[in-house]
Structures are given as C-alpha cells and as structure tokens.
Amino acid sequence: MAEAAQLQEDQLQVEICYATPNLEIRKPVRVDAGATVQQAIMQSGLLRECTAIDLTVCRVGIYGKLKTLDTVLREHDRIEIYRPLIADPMDSRRRRVQKKGG
C-alpha cells in the first residue's frame, strides 16, 4: 500500500485541452513529477489524434497564461494548446466599429 502511495506522489494529474470551432478535447493525463508541458502533450497522444496541431506554430498556456513548452508542471495544471489566429484582432475590431457607424 505504501508503494502505491509513493507512486502517486511521484506523479501529477494534469489536463490537456484543445479546441476548434467544431471540436473540444479535454484529456486527463498522469505524468511524472518534474514533467514539462511538452512531455505531457506528447504522452497524451493528442498529436497523433489531431494532426493539425503543430507545436512549432501553436502556442501553449496553463490556465490562460502563455507558457513555454519547457515549463515544469504542477498538480492539476490545465495545459491549453492555442490555434494560430486567422484574423488580426485589431482589424476585426476596426471593422466592427465601422459597421456600427462609429
């Protein structure tokens, strides 16, 4: 029993999240203590399932804050993989303002 408790102490429970307009993925993953964001993503198998994810292009974060792939994880971190923007947010805002007549 002590061995099982020690095994759990050496591992963290994290969640990998990725979304598109038509898809939402939330994968719980157990990783070794000291694991990085990239290691958790690789271990989750998500890159095999969603070939559109390219970690050289997509940014990542934990709970909405941008992080690097070598960030060391903590218990219950939610790793988010962000898709590249297709529209410049400032251009979109300008168009909305012009549309309203402002």
Side-chain angles (χ1 to χ4, degrees), residues 11-58:
Q11 291 192 324
L12 307 172
Q13 181 69 43
V14 298
E15 183 177 44
I16 314 289
C17 301
Y18 178 73
T20 68
N22 304 321
L23 173 73
E24 179 183 313
I25 297 173
R26 298 175 66 184
K27 289 189 96 159
V29 180
R30 290 199 74 73
V31 296
D32 291 336
T36 64
V37 168
Q38 184 171 13
Q39 289 169 332
I41 293 169
M42 300 301 280
Q43 186 175 325
S44 75
L46 184 61
L47 298 180
R48 287 187 301 278
E49 293 174 30
C50 294
T51 56
I53 300 173
D54 181 354
L55 292 181
T56 62
V57 177
C58 296

Side-chain angles (χ1 to χ4, degrees), residues 69-87:
L69 291 171
D70 61 355
T71 300
V72 176
L73 296 169
R74 297 187 304 196
E75 180 72 12
H76 301 299
D77 275 348
R78 183 182 68 219
I79 302 163
E80 301 157 346
I81 303 171
Y82 308 118
R83 293 177 292 118
L85 295 175
I86 26 181

